[in-house]
Amino acid sequence: EVQLVQSGAEVKEPGESLKISCKGSGYSFSNYWIAWVRQMPGKGLEWMGIIYPGDSDTRYSPSFQGQVTISADKSISTAYLRWSSLRASDTAVYYCARQGNDGSSWYNPWGQGTQVTVSS
Amino acid sequence: DIVMTQSPATLSVSPGERASLSCRASKSVGSNLAWYQQKPGQAPRLLIYGASTRATGIPARFSGSGSGTEFTLTISSLQSEDFAVYYCQQYNNWPYTFGQGTKLEI
């Protein structure tokens, strides 16, 4: 079974750093793009960026360029999303999702989501 | 960026009825369109890709149609478990973009 399992909920203060993870299993992790998607409280879905774990080719949505860093370690089948200095506006659920198995950029499956809460 | 506009924002229907959800793209995306279902507290679930191909395990009452800039998700006979928020997503041009969602409610 193809599966993405994300790290647990985080509560942080403004200005702190954070790295959340997404571990893939049941497929060749290196060969499929992984995306990160934000969902702010009560809002819709927003693409943040994508990474190809095989060579770490990464693309960011302009809205998130410079705000976060996406990385991957193919040796442990894990992708990451990192913030160097969190803001209250980063409070959201963050999902990872895998590219479709025909090489197109629809996404399935999705991780269960990681709740990030930033509050003083 | 390509803007995806979904309508209506909320659709009130009854179980057993047919529902049609619309998604419009600000420029052509060909058939590079997907539909997702999201229930409260859950991750999105892929329903349709390539505008009209059902994902594995998705019931036949879900169907997608359209190409270019106009797309429709149809649920032929609503079941109680279908009440959720539905998002369209274009993957023709990066950055990929979602519609704002249509909430299907009783």
Side-chain angles (χ1 to χ4, degrees):
Chain A
E1 178 193 9
V2 176
Q3 197 172 9
L4 297 175
V5 177
Q6 297 185 228
S7 50
E10 302 275 1
V11 179
K12 293 288 189 179
E13 294 189 356
E16 290 189 310
S17 63
L18 175 65
K19 191 175 188 178
I20 62 175
S21 66
C22 168
K23 183 173 177 61
S25 61
Y27 72 101
S28 178
F29 186 77
S30 295
N31 296 340
Y32 292 84
W33 290 83
I34 292 283
W36 285 98
V37 176
R38 182 175 78 175
Q39 188 166 40
M40 299 179 75
K43 301 299 183 182
L45 305 170
E46 303 172 87
W47 291 106
M48 301 177 71
I50 53 177
I51 187 166
Y52 189 77
D55 61 7
S56 290
D57 184 10
T58 306
R59 303 173 192 179
Y60 294 93
S61 172
S63 300
F64 293 92
Q65 180 83 47
Q67 308 304 309
V68 296
T69 301
I70 294 170
S71 61
D73 183 342
K74 62 184 179 182
S75 70
I76 55 171
S77 301
T78 302
Y80 301 98
L81 180 64
R82 185 177 71 86
W83 294 261
S84 59
S85 181
L86 285 160
R87 309 171 185 175
S89 58
D90 292 317
T91 294
V93 177
Y94 294 87
Y95 295 100
C96 63
R98 196 205 77 168
Q99 175 192 31
N101 53 19
D102 66 354
S104 297
S105 296
W106 44 272
Y107 284 81
N108 186 49
W110 292 56
Q112 82 277 19
T114 296
Q115 173 70 55
V116 173
T117 303
V118 184
S119 175
S120 55
Chain B
D1 297 5
I2 295 177
V3 177
M4 307 299 291
T5 302
Q6 292 186 241
S7 61
T10 304
L11 183 60
S12 297
V13 290
S14 300
E17 291 186 338
R18 178 188 183 96
S20 291
L21 288 64
S22 175
C23 176
R24 176 176 294 179
S26 61
K27 61 183 281 189
S28 177
V29 299
S31 294
N32 295 315
L33 184 107
W35 289 93
Y36 301 87
Q37 176 194 67
Q38 188 179 33
K39 297 179 180 179
Q42 296 185 18
R45 177 175 73 142
L46 176 72
L47 299 175
I48 301 284
Y49 63 92
S52 61
T53 302
R54 272 191 307 277
T56 302
I58 300 304
R61 65 180 181 273
F62 290 91
S63 63
S65 62
S67 66
T69 62
E70 300 281 345
F71 301 88
T72 302
L73 175 70
T74 301
I75 311 170
S76 59
S77 178
L78 281 160
Q79 307 296 304
S80 58
E81 62 266 31
D82 300 335
F83 292 94
V85 179
Y86 292 83
Y87 295 95
C88 61
Q89 173 232 326
Q90 68 81 19
Y91 52 93
N92 195 63
N93 294 92
W94 180 256
Y96 309 138
T97 42
F98 290 98
Q100 81 280 16
T102 290
K103 183 178 181 181
L104 201 54
E105 65 176 25
I106 299 174

